[in-house]
Every structure is written in C-alpha cells, then in structure tokens.
Amino acid sequence: MQFIKAKTYLKPLLGIIFLVLFVLIFAIPSHAELSVESYCQLVIKSAQQEIENLNELIALAQQYSSDNSEAFLEQEAIKQEKFDKEKKSLFNSFDTTAEEYVTFIGENKETVEKYLNANPEIKQNIDGLSNQVNTLLDQYESLKEGIINAPPFE
C-alpha cells in the first residue's frame, strides 16, 4: 500500500517539476543576437585578452625549470581558471556566450567577410592581433614543452 501512496504524492510533484522546467526553458530571455560589428569588436577584445593571458603564461613559464614541472602545472591551472572567468565576463559584456560566438561565424561567414572588406582597418587590426596571438602561443608552447618534456639529468 505504501507504493500507491508514494505514487499519489509523486504525480503532483512531477507536474510541478515539469512546470518549473517549462518556465526555465521558455521564459528565460535568450542572449541578444550578435551583429557583425559587435562580433568583430568581440574578436578584437578577445584577441587582446588572449595576448595579455599569453604574456602572463610566458612570464610564468620563464620562472620554472623541468625539475619543477608539477608546480608549474599547478600555477598554470590557477591562471587558466582566472582566464576562463575573464573570458566569460567578456562574452557577458557583449550579451553572448562562447558557444554563440563560435556559432556566429559559422552562420555569418560571408557577411563578416564583406564587412571586413568594407572596413580594412578593422581587418588589419584583427589580422595583426591574430599574428601576435600565434607568435606568443608558439613561444609559450615552446617554453612549456621545455619544462614538461625536458630530458632528465643523469
């Protein structure tokens, strides 16, 4: 008989749960759609942030040697957590998410290319920042590899 009582109490509870889920799914406002201009501004801000982050990581890596790789990896994880929060904050400031940011270019590639062709100074800025990010990333990866994959002393 207790099974029947439990089943009777669960029915209204399930109704409440479905109502809450419905409200959460459909009533919460979604993020605003990015415009091409705001997308390009976000690309620039994101690249600038990445440059700052990589410079911090390079400075960190230069403080460690291969005999202290565990400490380096711990500090790197702490910094990465901080960077992730900052990146999320940046996306929030544009009323978007990382997923929407990535999806935007896939759905609007031609429109973005037209905008950048019509605004060569923005395109040059993005290209310059992108080159800087790639250079710093190569430098950081090389330093990190030296810390983590260095041959042991014999």
Side-chain angles (χ1 to χ4, degrees):
M1 289 294 178
Q2 286 184 346
F3 176 71
I4 294 171
K5 284 183 182 179
K7 191 174 182 182
T8 306
Y9 290 111
L10 285 178
K11 195 171 188 178
L13 183 61
L14 287 174
I16 292 170
I17 290 172
F18 285 123
L19 177 63
V20 169
L21 287 174
F22 178 81
V23 168
L24 287 174
I25 292 170
F26 295 107
I28 294 176
S30 63
H31 291 280
E33 177 92 15
L34 279 172
S35 67
V36 174
E37 294 85 3
S38 63
Y39 171 81
C40 290
Q41 289 173 355
L42 182 52
V43 168
I44 290 168
K45 296 273 187 198
S46 181
Q48 290 168 335
Q49 190 178 63
E50 191 66 23
I51 288 167
E52 291 173 18
N53 295 349
L54 285 166
N55 279 323
E56 279 188 46
L57 289 171
I58 288 167
L60 177 71
Q62 290 171 335
Q63 297 173 16
Y64 288 88
S65 61
S66 61
D67 59 338
N68 206 357
S69 62
E70 282 186 35
F72 166 74
L73 291 173
E74 288 173 14
Q75 291 302 310
E76 179 191 45
I78 291 168
K79 289 226 180 260
Q80 195 59 52
E81 188 176 323
K82 177 186 128 194
F83 298 156
D84 291 345
K85 288 178 185 175
E86 291 171 350
K87 185 68 75 175
K88 186 175 182 178
S89 178
L90 176 64
F91 288 125
N92 286 340
S93 74
F94 280 82
D95 198 27
T96 194
T97 64
E99 294 80 17
E100 290 170 340
Y101 172 75
V102 171
T103 302
F104 184 87
I105 192 64
E107 295 174 351
N108 299 283
K109 185 177 180 182
E110 288 179 22
T111 308
V112 171
E113 287 175 353
K114 286 179 187 175
Y115 176 79
L116 292 174
N117 288 335
N119 296 280
E121 67 285 347
I122 295 173
K123 183 176 181 353
Q124 286 177 328
N125 191 7
I126 291 172
D127 289 345
L129 291 168
S130 178
N131 289 336
Q132 212 174 343
V133 166
N134 289 333
T135 299
L136 291 170
L137 186 59
D138 288 345
Q139 183 181 355
Y140 174 65
E141 287 176 346
S142 176
L143 287 168
K144 183 177 176 177
E145 186 176 311
I147 295 168
I148 295 174
N149 297 325
F153 292 110
E154 291 186 30

